[in-house]
Amino acid sequence: MRTIKIRFVKTKNANYHLQRKGWFGRWKDIGYSVDMGYGGFYMIYTAKTKEELLDEVLDKHYQVCKNHVEIIEYPTIKIY
């Protein structure tokens, strides 16, 4: 069973995005790269609710089900 350490970040416009705990205790945003052919950028997964966001990240980024992963959730931070 895999263990994932995450925390939610609530932004000004009432959206959430997700961060994971990486090497040396640093928090990194979870997202995906978009390549336009002439340049690319990094998109962060966002959603209106925590449940929608967690389902999307587990499905698209980690490609696992909730039953096969242990999630350790750290306190939510708010960005004003």
Side-chain angles (χ1 to χ4, degrees), residues 4-73:
I4 300 172
K5 298 176 182 177
I6 61 169
R7 74 175 175 189
F8 292 95
V9 179
K10 186 173 183 177
T11 58
K12 288 187 263 186
N13 55 3
N15 282 337
Y16 289 97
H17 67 270
L18 201 59
Q19 292 181 337
R20 67 177 173 86
K21 197 166 195 176
W23 289 79
F24 306 113
R26 298 187 66 194
W27 291 98
K28 297 183 179 181
D29 291 322
I30 297 177
Y32 55 96
S33 297
V34 178
D35 186 18
M36 304 293 284
Y38 50 84
F41 55 94
Y42 191 73
M43 288 290 295
I44 299 171
Y45 291 109
T46 60
K48 289 283 185 188
T49 63
K50 291 181 180 181
E51 293 81 18
E52 290 177 12
L53 179 60
L54 185 59
D55 290 339
E56 182 179 4
V57 168
L58 288 177
D59 184 38
K60 294 182 180 176
H61 184 74
Y62 289 108
Q63 298 174 349
V64 294
C65 177
K66 282 185 184 178
N67 299 333
H68 302 290
V69 68
E70 179 184 353
I71 299 170
I72 299 173
E73 183 179 344

